[in-house]
Structures are given as C-alpha cells and as structure tokens.
Amino acid sequence: LKTEIISIGTELLLGDIIDSNSKYLAEKLNALGYDINYITTVGDNKNRLIEIFEKALKRSELIISTGGLGPTDDDLTREVISEVNCRPLKIDYFLEEKIRDFFYKKNYIMPKNNIKQAYLPDGAKAIPNHWGTAAGILLETANNIIISMPGVPREMKKIFDIEVIPYLKEKNNMIIKSRVLKLFGIGESRLEELIKDILDRQINPTIALLAGNGEVKIRITAKGDNIYEKEEKIKIVEDKIRKIVNEYIYGVDQDSLPLVTGSLLKEKGLSIAIAESCTGGLIGKRITDIPGSSVYFRGGLITYSNESKINILGVNDHTLKDYGAVSNEVACEMADGARKLLNSNIGLSVTGIAGPGGANKNKAIGLVYIGFSDGNIITSYRLNFRGDRSLNRWMSSQYVFYYLLKYLRDVEAGK
Amino acid sequence: LKTEIISIGTELLLGDIIDSNSKYLAEKLNALGYDINYITTVGDNKNRLIEIFEKALKRSELIISTGGLGPTDDDLTREVISEVNCRPLKIDYFLEEKIRDFFYKKNYIMPKNNIKQAYLPDGAKAIPNHWGTAAGILLETANNIIISMPGVPREMKKIFDIEVIPYLKEKNNMIIKSRVLKLFGIGESRLEELIKDILDRQINPTIALLAGNGEVKIRITAKGDNIYEKEEKIKIVEDKIRKIVNEYIYGVDQDSLPLVTGSLLKEKGLSIAIAESCTGGLIGKRITDIPGSSVYFRGGLITYSNESKINILGVNDHTLKDYGAVSNEVACEMADGARKLLNSNIGLSVTGIAGPGGANKNKAIGLVYIGFSDGNIITSYRLNFRGDRSLNRWMSSQYVFYYLLKYLRDVEAGK
C-alpha cells in the first residue's frame, strides 16, 4: 500500500520538540512492508490541515497521522478527517463512557471540553487508548485507510504497537521478515570492511547497517512466500555474518546491553552492585529500567564526592591522594567496596571526567575508568571518550555493561 | 515570509535516522521570525521531489531544503531545483576549484562524480561549505527564495549558522520575540480553564499551551517594531498569567526542575543527598546531568533491596516489617538516613511500585512515597501514578524536584 505519514502540531513547526513519532512509525511500517513516500509536518491550522489531507487522499492509500486529537480548540484532526471525507462527527457513547471513567478513576471531574474526544467521523472506529483520553481513529473508505493517533509519543507508540500493528499485518499480504543483530565495540566503517563481501552480494535478504548511541545494528530483511522460507534465508546470512564478527554481537532485535547482561545474571544466579561517580545514577537507572531487575541488582552508590567515596565505599584516602579520584586504583577500590557493602557477587564502578569542567593538564575531559571486582578478579579499564558531558556519560554506561557481558560470557565459556 | 522546509532522503522515510535537521531549522527560523507552515520529508525520487517543490513554490515564499546535494546518482536536489525553476544547470568554475582543492588538501584525487557538485541552476549562488564538498544553493526568483543545504547535520548546521542566518536576518525586518513559562503540578485542561480569559483575548502577543513529560508550557510570542516594545508586551501578559497561576510556574525558557532547584541550592549554600528505590538512579542521573552539580549534590544511595535499606541507610527493620518498604514511614527513614550518611542539609527519598510487578491487594502499581528531611522537618508525600514503569519513574523524579523546590521557596519566603 502507498503510505504516508502526517505529523500534526504547531510545536513541531516551532522546533520545540523533535518529531520522534514519524521516525518510530517509518521504521515499524517499513519493517511491516509498507513503503512510505511522504512525511508531512503541519501545524494546528485548519486550512492547511485540510489541504494536506486532501492531497494525501489522492496520492496515498494508507494515511497515518499523529497529533491533534486532544480536547482543546487547537486540536483539529477529528474535524478535518470528518470534513475531507464528508463524514459528519457523531458521538460514540461507549467512548464517552470510557473518557468519563478515566477521570473518575483519577478522582477528577471530566473537564467539559474532553467530551469532544468522544466524537468520531461517521463510520469510523475508535482505536482504544488505555493510557489517555485521546482514542485513535480508524476510517476505511473506498480508496483509503486513515489511521489517526494522538501525538503524545508514549501513548502513540503503545496504541500503534498493540492496536494498529495487528491490523496492518492482516491488511498486508506480502509480509517481510527482518532480524536485527546488535553489536558493541566495533565501528560502522570497520564492520562494513569486514563484511563487505556479504554486503555486496546480498539482494534478498537485504542487509542494512545502522549506527547510533555507540552501537551498530545489522538489519537483515527477507521477502518471500512463507515465513519458513524467509526465516531460512535470514538464518543463512546471519550465520555468515556471525562467522566474522560474532564477538561483537551482543544481542538481536529488541535486546539492549542492560537486558542481555540482566538475563545472564539471572540465569547464573549472580548479583551486582555499582558505584557511580561521573555517571551519577545513569547506570542504576538503566539497570532498573528493566522490570524484575531486583532479582540481581543489589543496589548502587552514587559517590560524587571524595568524602563519600571514603566514608561509604571505604576507598582509602591515601589512594585518593596519591592517584586522584579519576584513576585505575580508585576505580578498583570503588568496585570492590560496592560489592562488599551491598553483599553482591560482582561490583562495578565508574569514575571519570564527563566535562565540561573537571579536566586538568594530566587528565582530559572524557577520561573514564571502569572498575570491576568479583572478589577474586579486581581490575579496571581506562577509556577516552571525545564527546560532550551527555555522550561521555552514556558511553561510560555502555562500557560498564559491555565489560560485564564479557565477564559473564567468559564465565559461561569456563575461562 | 511564508516558509517551508523540505527534508530530502530515503533514509528518513525508512526511519533509519531521525530528522534532527528540521527541528534545528524550525527552532532557529522561528526565533528569526519566520513562520513555518509545512515540513515535508520525501525520498530520493525525482517525480516526487518535483511534485513537492512545485507545490512549495506556489504556497511558500521561502523554501529551505536539506539533503540530496551529494555526488551520487541518488542526489537529485540540484537537478530538481533547476527543472522546477526552468534554470539550466551551469558549471561554477570557482566552485569546481574549491572541490578539487578539498580533495587535494586531503591528498586524495577527486572522484569523477564529484564534479556534479560544481553545477548550479542558472542565476543561483553557491553557499560556501567549508566542511565538505556539497556547497549549498541560494536561488532568488521573482516570487521565491530557495535555500538548499546538504543533509549531513554537522555540515548543515554550520552552513546555516554562519552563512544563512545573516542573510535571513537581513531579509526579515519584523523579528518576533518569545518567552516560555514552565509549570508543574497542574494539567493542561485545568490551566486552560484558569487563564481562559487571557487566552481568548490575546492577539499580539499570542499565547500557546504545550504539554509533555508531566509539565505544561505557556509560550508568549510578541511581534513589534523594536525589542523594547516586544519585551514590554510580553511582560504585561506574563504578569497577568503569574497573578493566576504563579505557584505552578517553576521557571522560564530553558529552565528544568533539576536546574532550578540546583541553582537555588547553590544560592543558599545547601546540599542534598538522595535515597532511591523504585527510581533506581534516575534522580541522581538527572541531578548530575547538570555540570557543576557536585557543589550541592553529596551523593545518592540506590537501595533497591530491603537489606540495603537496613544496612546502608539505617532504616529500622521493624518499620519495614510493620509498614512495608512502600510506606510513609520507610520513605521518611530513607530520606533522613541518606541525609545523615552523606552529611548533607537535605535528604530526599523515593520508594514505590513502578510496575509491572510488585503490586499487592493493598498497594497498586504507581503508588509512590517521597520522603523529605532537613533534620528538623521529616515528612513524606503519597502519590498515585497511572502510567507504565517508565512514566511512573519519571513522574516520581519530577515530584522529588517539585517538593524540593517548594521547600526551597518556603525557606526563601521565611516560612
């Protein structure tokens, strides 16, 4: 189906927020086999919205819009869909009930203007939104399918994943299948060099390299008549790639470094504790992003000051004086201190200079030490990042999970 | 000038990369007083590019495009601009020289296809690119100005800032000025009700409400002949709004809750420490996102287990048994424990059920207690969120900063 995305909201035209919805939808729609030809961003302006929707009805079969389904006067999407399709708005009593219920459960009285959200173009169906009051709209006409979702990314993503994807899968007969290999510790150019022969020869499945957040992804996408054929095709290519760069592949599809390390810890019955200096809580945050992490995560210490490194973690004040807080020695003592204090199998630590302040003539911004201890092995890694504060902190957290993964894999391999 | 942005590149339609260029341009163009009506993303497809440019020539005065100026066959922007304006491509020998020089300085021979980048539509000017071989294109016609820049964000941003902004400033006499008020603790609908009279009567300055991340923003935008007039206009409206909802306004423009509370702590010479259970490091991460936070942030304890709450924070095991880890009592002991252990003026804590697991018949997902202690006042707040794990954790962190802000403001007011 010829597909286009319409992204609605003046705040997007003002550059206040980035249009992450369109990227999310484009990625998922492509994976489902839908070809997107246009993404249009337009403000909360009725005439321009009508112009864009009328154009879309002519040139595309599937139209997916986000935004403009809120309760305020600025929210015009339902009116516009109604108008361009000549389908008058009608109240959906079931939807009204759900909206009232939403407020009732929060002990609020429904503001008057929310009633607007219970109206749908004649013949349209509501797409349930369990996370807010703006239900989506699904309208099938002779020539088009229009799917309209709220613009709040959190709500949009859930509605799309849970309600829209199954619908689109059914609509599309030629389903493609794809698999993503996730790599850490290798750059995109180097990866391209290593698997150039495979990349050059591939037509079906196709292979794409994607880089971001210090990771590289390899996406393998197969077309075919049935699922077995497609999976078989993907497997052959995946095996070829794994022969060359398996050591860098930490997971597939929805895996993340915290998720993969967490599963391995759980599997092996091991626990971890962390001591963070320059990352200031980011690693703990990423570990506990994962539901159920309490099984293996004993806790963390954010020891931002020397005082707290000494008093809480038991870092030796001589070590701090002799080597400085950003050093191999302190990283090791922090990791082992966290392990002992929180009574875990493994302790990990980060100490570094995230920037923009804190550098001196011997230690530059981006210098980071990662400490590791399992009681027997106490070691540390020195890294040099060249990003800003935010990137340096992010990369530090990535490497903490990476070293943990290496250790857990070595344990597995009996090394 | 009526303005639109055209973002060119198939990778954008595939969702491989996010369109950060358009956000960047939109933000800067708005600040310069240009009203953007459309942002269109289109792939490297000649027919569709022609369609989009032809439409843009009719409906907009200023057209800004990014992407499609590279040397490969996929790069079609210069051909399309040439075609839709009936301006044949001509070689610019000066540009050719610069491209050859670019390669020469890198000790490379210029690949043959790069010569393409020396061609411009008749009458157009090259916009210098000192960071790559793709110069921008500036074409002024009777009805339109077309500015075309390369798609690589790093190059595009530099070209825009250094070359295009001075040009646009000169073109536009009427510059707008805007100010954003940031609010926490009030919903968008409720805010709209409260300031409805002001909202309804405003034409210049205009007022827009934007909601997201549990916060609401009010943007006041003024047009006028000089900066003093505009600032005065904004001030009058801001004062009116503050009379009604001042208690919810925590900052302006680029302020964030961690930034505002951090500044107040610094100003008053106070320090904080935190104890996090369900947020698992998120609060520490947000505090230390801010460079220089070490001045007031003593550190944090991520006490995810009961054991660590007792052993490290000194929470009484009877309190844990009698009230459970998610309780007012434990929140208070955690906050005071963190304060004592890290030797700070203020201790804050969070304990709650972020979900999806952890709920029981008395305590639902989203139940969160926030503890506070300054040694004299030891208190806690009970909250009920209805989001998923990620939102519940985020909102918990928001409220921690919010209660801290309230306390710091009360100190200021001498309460």
Side-chain angles (χ1 to χ4, degrees):
Chain A
L1 292 181
K2 276 190 254 169
T3 304
E4 77 175 277
I5 296 172
I6 301 174
S7 202
I8 300 158
T10 301
E11 65 279 15
L12 295 164
L13 294 179
L14 292 170
D16 282 345
I17 51 173
I18 197 159
D19 184 12
S20 60
N21 283 346
S22 293
K23 180 197 184 296
Y24 187 86
L25 291 172
E27 198 172 353
K28 296 235 165 174
L29 287 165
N30 274 287
L32 288 167
Y34 288 84
D35 285 329
I36 297 168
N37 292 333
Y38 310 91
I39 301 171
T40 309
T41 306
V42 61
D44 305 311
N45 173 294
K46 195 163 182 183
N47 291 334
R48 287 196 282 271
L49 273 166
I50 288 175
E51 175 203 330
I52 295 299
F53 267 97
E54 280 180 343
K55 186 84 194 166
L57 289 175
K58 279 179 209 147
R59 70 186 178 190
S60 303
E61 290 155 301
L62 172 63
I63 300 162
I64 299 200
S65 78
T66 58
L69 293 178
T72 73
D73 291 346
D74 275 358
D75 293 298
L76 298 162
T77 306
R78 77 183 68 245
E79 287 80 354
V80 168
I81 293 177
S82 155
E83 203 166 316
V84 297
N85 289 288
C86 303
R87 304 270 192 134
L89 288 171
K90 289 192 170 175
I91 194 157
D92 179 323
Y93 292 105
F94 180 71
L95 202 51
E96 186 195 347
E97 193 54 38
K98 279 188 69 179
I99 296 168
R100 284 193 194 280
D101 194 50
F102 184 89
F103 285 98
Y104 178 77
K105 279 189 182 147
K106 286 194 158 186
N107 272 321
Y108 286 131
I109 292 160
M110 185 181 85
K112 226 171 152 187
N113 47 12
N114 281 83
I115 189 74
K116 187 177 149 180
Q117 296 183 305
Y119 282 80
L120 295 175
D122 197 11
K125 276 185 224 161
I127 309 174
N129 177 354
H130 305 293
W131 307 271
T133 58
I137 299 171
L138 168 65
L139 178 62
E140 295 189 32
T141 65
N143 302 313
N144 303 96
I145 300 170
I146 300 172
I147 292 171
S148 180
M149 291 175 288
V152 180
R154 196 173 44 85
E155 295 178 18
M156 189 287 292
K157 287 176 188 174
K158 291 203 164 154
I159 293 170
F160 187 75
D161 287 355
I162 295 171
E163 305 288 343
V164 180
I165 287 184
Y167 170 84
L168 291 177
K169 273 192 178 159
E170 215 175 290
K171 281 280 158 195
N172 210 13
N173 299 321
M174 155 104 164
I175 295 171
I176 60 171
K177 165 105 189 131
S178 71
R179 184 169 171 85
V180 175
L181 308 181
K182 296 196 165 177
L183 293 85
F184 188 81
I186 185 170
E188 191 183 9
S189 314
R190 178 73 186 131
L191 175 63
E192 198 174 0
E193 271 176 32
L194 287 175
I195 63 169
K196 196 169 182 354
D197 282 356
I198 304 174
L199 284 171
D200 286 350
R201 268 181 290 139
Q202 275 316 129
I203 296 164
N204 181 15
T206 57
I207 306 177
L209 303 187
L210 315 163
N213 280 332
E215 304 190 359
V216 190
K217 294 188 261 185
I218 304 175
R219 183 172 50 207
I220 312 167
T221 308
K223 297 189 178 190
D225 292 333
N226 64 64
I227 188 73
Y228 306 103
E229 188 194 327
K230 282 173 281 197
E231 281 179 353
E232 186 55 33
K233 281 183 177 168
I234 289 173
K235 198 179 173 312
I236 293 169
V237 173
E238 180 177 343
D239 287 347
K240 280 191 207 163
I241 294 172
R242 282 193 182 269
K243 263 191 194 149
I244 305 171
V245 291
N246 197 42
E247 62 183 307
Y248 302 106
I249 300 173
Y250 74 77
V252 299
D253 297 334
Q254 300 308 313
D255 285 343
S256 67
L257 281 167
L259 197 68
V260 170
T261 48
S263 304
L264 280 170
L265 286 166
K266 216 188 289 184
E267 195 186 303
K268 294 179 197 316
L270 294 173
S271 60
I272 55 164
I274 51 165
E276 305 189 51
S277 186
C278 66
T279 46
L282 173 61
I283 297 165
K285 188 250 171 203
R286 293 188 67 196
I287 294 173
T288 58
D289 278 341
I290 297 160
S293 45
S294 55
V295 174
Y296 50 84
F297 182 49
R298 288 284 170 273
L301 293 311
I302 307 170
T303 51
Y304 220 54
S305 63
N306 280 352
E307 197 191 340
S308 60
K309 288 185 184 76
I310 298 167
N311 293 342
I312 302 177
L313 283 172
V315 172
N316 195 308
D317 57 349
H318 287 294
T319 315
L320 275 164
K321 265 180 219 148
D322 293 350
Y323 301 99
V326 180
S327 63
N328 274 312
E329 290 76 7
V330 168
C332 287
E333 291 191 22
M334 283 173 70
D336 202 47
R339 186 187 64 79
K340 284 180 188 155
L341 185 67
L342 288 154
N343 196 21
S344 64
N345 301 109
I346 298 164
L348 283 154
S349 71
V350 186
T351 178
I353 302 162
N360 61 43
K361 68 176 193 293
N362 297 315
K363 293 178 181 179
I365 288 173
L367 175 67
V368 171
Y369 292 91
I370 290 173
F372 175 92
S373 168
D374 68 357
N376 296 310
I377 306 165
I378 303 179
T379 187
S380 73
Y381 305 88
R382 180 194 162 106
L383 297 160
N384 280 290
F385 302 117
R386 295 174 57 87
D388 59 5
R389 181 178 182 84
S390 160
L391 184 65
N392 292 340
R393 280 156 52 96
W394 173 260
M395 289 307 293
S396 301
S397 76
Q398 289 283 78
Y399 272 94
V400 165
F401 292 112
Y402 176 63
Y403 291 127
L404 175 60
L405 178 66
K406 275 191 139 175
Y407 172 81
L408 294 170
R409 283 188 174 171
D410 283 353
V411 169
E412 197 157 61
K415 283 182 203 170
Chain B
L1 291 182
K2 276 190 254 169
T3 304
E4 76 176 278
I5 296 172
I6 302 174
S7 202
I8 301 159
T10 300
E11 67 279 15
L12 294 165
L13 294 179
L14 292 170
D16 283 346
I17 51 171
I18 197 159
D19 183 12
S20 59
N21 283 347
S22 293
K23 181 199 184 297
Y24 187 86
L25 290 173
E27 200 172 352
K28 296 236 166 173
L29 287 165
N30 273 286
L32 289 167
Y34 288 84
D35 285 329
I36 297 169
N37 292 333
Y38 310 91
I39 301 170
T40 309
T41 306
V42 61
D44 305 313
N45 172 294
K46 195 161 181 185
N47 291 334
R48 285 196 282 270
L49 273 166
I50 288 175
E51 175 204 330
I52 296 298
F53 268 96
E54 280 181 343
K55 187 83 194 169
L57 288 174
K58 278 179 209 147
R59 69 186 178 189
S60 302
E61 291 154 300
L62 172 63
I63 300 162
I64 299 201
S65 78
T66 58
L69 293 178
T72 73
D73 291 346
D74 275 358
D75 293 300
L76 299 161
T77 306
R78 77 183 68 245
E79 287 80 353
V80 169
I81 293 177
S82 156
E83 203 167 315
V84 296
N85 289 287
C86 304
R87 305 269 192 134
L89 287 171
K90 290 192 169 174
I91 194 158
D92 179 322
Y93 293 106
F94 181 69
L95 202 50
E96 187 195 346
E97 192 54 37
K98 279 188 70 177
I99 296 168
R100 285 194 192 281
D101 195 49
F102 183 89
F103 285 99
Y104 178 77
K105 277 188 183 149
K106 287 195 160 187
N107 272 321
Y108 287 130
I109 291 160
M110 185 180 85
K112 225 173 154 187
N113 48 9
N114 281 83
I115 190 72
K116 186 177 150 178
Q117 297 183 304
Y119 282 80
L120 295 175
D122 197 11
K125 277 185 223 161
I127 309 174
N129 177 355
H130 305 293
W131 307 272
T133 59
I137 300 171
L138 168 64
L139 178 62
E140 295 189 33
T141 66
N143 301 313
N144 303 97
I145 300 169
I146 300 172
I147 292 170
S148 181
M149 291 175 288
V152 180
R154 201 171 40 85
E155 295 179 19
M156 189 288 291
K157 286 175 188 175
K158 288 195 170 159
I159 294 170
F160 187 75
D161 286 354
I162 295 170
E163 304 288 343
V164 180
I165 286 184
Y167 169 84
L168 291 177
K169 272 194 179 159
E170 215 175 289
K171 282 278 159 198
N172 208 14
N173 301 319
M174 162 125 151
I175 294 168
I176 61 167
K177 164 102 189 134
S178 73
R179 184 169 171 86
V180 175
L181 308 180
K182 297 195 164 178
L183 295 84
F184 187 82
I186 185 169
E188 190 184 8
S189 311
R190 178 73 186 133
L191 175 64
E192 198 176 4
E193 273 176 27
L194 287 176
I195 62 167
K196 196 168 181 1
D197 282 357
I198 304 174
L199 284 170
D200 286 350
R201 268 181 288 138
Q202 276 316 127
I203 296 163
N204 180 18
T206 56
I207 306 176
L209 303 186
L210 314 162
N213 280 332
E215 303 191 359
V216 189
K217 293 189 259 184
I218 304 174
R219 191 192 6 240
I220 312 167
T221 308
K223 298 190 177 189
D225 292 332
N226 64 64
I227 186 74
Y228 306 103
E229 187 194 328
K230 281 173 282 195
E231 282 179 352
E232 187 54 33
K233 279 183 178 167
I234 289 173
K235 198 177 174 312
I236 292 169
V237 173
E238 180 177 344
D239 288 348
K240 277 190 208 165
I241 294 171
R242 283 193 182 269
K243 262 190 194 151
I244 305 170
V245 291
N246 198 42
E247 62 183 309
Y248 302 105
I249 299 174
Y250 74 78
V252 298
D253 297 334
Q254 300 308 314
D255 285 343
S256 66
L257 281 168
L259 196 68
V260 170
T261 48
S263 304
L264 279 170
L265 286 167
K266 216 188 287 182
E267 194 186 304
K268 294 179 197 315
L270 295 172
S271 60
I272 54 164
I274 51 164
E276 305 188 52
S277 186
C278 66
T279 46
L282 172 61
I283 298 165
K285 188 252 171 201
R286 294 189 67 196
I287 294 172
T288 58
D289 277 342
I290 297 161
S293 45
S294 56
V295 174
Y296 50 85
F297 183 48
R298 288 284 170 274
L301 293 312
I302 308 171
T303 51
Y304 220 55
S305 63
N306 280 351
E307 197 191 340
S308 60
K309 287 184 184 79
I310 297 167
N311 293 342
I312 302 178
L313 283 172
V315 172
N316 196 307
D317 58 348
H318 288 295
T319 316
L320 275 164
K321 266 180 217 147
D322 294 349
Y323 301 99
V326 180
S327 63
N328 274 312
E329 290 75 9
V330 168
C332 287
E333 290 190 21
M334 282 173 70
D336 201 47
R339 185 186 65 80
K340 284 180 188 158
L341 185 67
L342 287 154
N343 196 21
S344 64
N345 301 109
I346 298 165
L348 283 154
S349 71
V350 186
T351 177
I353 303 162
N360 61 43
K361 68 176 193 292
N362 298 314
K363 292 177 182 180
I365 287 173
L367 175 66
V368 170
Y369 292 92
I370 290 174
F372 174 93
S373 169
D374 68 358
N376 296 310
I377 305 166
I378 304 180
T379 187
S380 73
Y381 306 89
R382 179 196 163 105
L383 297 160
N384 281 289
F385 303 118
R386 295 176 54 88
D388 59 5
R389 181 177 181 85
S390 158
L391 184 66
N392 293 340
R393 279 155 52 97
W394 172 262
M395 289 307 294
S396 301
S397 77
Q398 289 283 77
Y399 272 95
V400 164
F401 292 112
Y402 176 64
Y403 291 127
L404 175 59
L405 178 66
K406 275 190 139 177
Y407 172 80
L408 294 171
R409 283 187 173 171
D410 283 353
V411 169
E412 197 157 61
K415 282 182 204 169

